Amino acid sequence: MGTIAVVDYGMGNLRSVAKALEHVAPKGARVRITDRADDITGAERVVFPGQGAARDCMRAIDAHGLREPLLEAARTRPFFGMCMGLQVLLAHSEENGGTDCLGLFQGTVRAFPRDLHDGHGRRLKIPHMGWNSVHRTRAHPLWNGIAETACFYFVHGYHAAPEEPDVVAGTTDYGRRFCSVLADANLFACQFHPEKSSRDGLRLLKNFVEWSP
């Protein structure tokens, strides 16, 4: 196996992502944290994590010259987006008063309403933070070996709302049902943090590094 590029645009705890990938990657694989377009273009697999605000994320991507390398990788090679790395794949985000994103998928990243309540009428905190389950809306190789009841770790105040329902591979309930996983061809992206999601998160990453779409 060749190189797994972990995209570094100056936002996010990339060491924890890289360490998790190193733990599950086959022997001979190289995990490289990089902000270089050439490294992303030349990598066999690309992992696109992220934290922070959409506008800052897009500015950093453009400042590093990573817009086209990211889009090319997302269209041609095994590609894994995490948290903000899912959200900016859509066309637009409501965050920061409105931010245009990468536009790989049509749709908008929307803020959670401040008046969300659970099934018992209790008000829910925003951002959505902590463990929650993912309802799989279709089969995917990256779910292999992960129980339907598995929970993953979330930290976010905005959620993806893609226009095309066929790209939704998982949903989560938090006062409302929202898209928590996108998948299309060689791409898989999740709103939660696999590197913080214990055994099931590591299994998801292991499935990714072994995936041949």
Side-chain angles (χ1 to χ4, degrees):
M1 172 177 279
T3 300
I4 304 169
V6 179
V7 179
D8 178 10
Y9 52 91
M11 300 170 67
N13 181 11
L14 303 184
R15 285 305 307 164
S16 61
V17 174
K19 285 294 186 184
L21 287 165
E22 289 168 355
H23 182 73
V24 300
K27 186 176 180 179
R30 295 180 60 203
V31 178
R32 174 180 290 176
I33 298 174
T34 182
D35 63 354
R36 291 172 51 85
D38 289 347
D39 289 340
I40 296 168
T41 301
E44 182 179 304
R45 297 169 190 271
V46 174
V47 176
F48 180 34
Q51 297 175 189
R55 180 175 296 167
D56 293 338
C57 176
M58 290 307 304
R59 284 175 176 169
I61 286 170
D62 287 333
H64 286 79
L66 300 182
R67 181 185 290 257
E68 290 308 317
L70 283 172
L71 288 171
E72 187 269 341
R75 292 175 177 133
T76 61
R77 276 163 287 146
F79 184 98
F80 197 130
M82 303 175 184
C83 195
M84 184 58 66
L86 175 150
Q87 292 185 9
V88 298
L89 298 177
L90 272 68
H92 188 78
S93 174
E94 292 181 347
E95 196 170 10
N96 308 120
T99 299
D100 289 333
C101 299
L102 292 173
L104 190 67
F105 299 106
Q106 291 302 308
T108 302
V109 178
R110 304 191 185 280
F112 281 114
R114 295 289 169 176
D115 59 348
L116 287 179
H117 294 79
D118 66 14
H120 301 285
R122 294 172 298 205
R123 188 163 187 168
L124 295 171
K125 293 181 179 179
I126 305 299
H128 172 213
M129 182 181 299
W131 295 86
N132 207 336
S133 59
V134 174
H135 170 69
R136 302 169 198 180
T137 56
R138 60 184 173 91
H140 194 282
L142 266 65
W143 295 131
N144 290 346
I146 299 174
E148 289 275 357
T149 55
C151 290
F152 300 90
Y153 191 79
F154 290 80
V155 183
H156 63 120
Y158 291 76
H159 64 90
E163 291 182 5
E164 178 50 65
D166 289 347
V167 302
V168 179
T171 61
T172 295
D173 291 317
Y174 193 68
R176 60 168 54 184
R177 180 161 289 190
F178 67 91
C179 168
S180 55
V181 181
L182 290 173
D184 183 46
N186 54 286
L187 178 147
F188 188 95
C190 57
Q191 180 60 63
F192 54 84
H193 289 267
E195 80 282 7
K196 298 179 181 179
S197 297
S198 191
R199 180 180 60 187
D200 290 316
L202 287 176
R203 180 57 191 257
L204 192 69
L205 294 177
K206 179 176 173 60
N207 290 342
F208 170 71
V209 300
E210 296 176 350
W211 183 31
S212 298

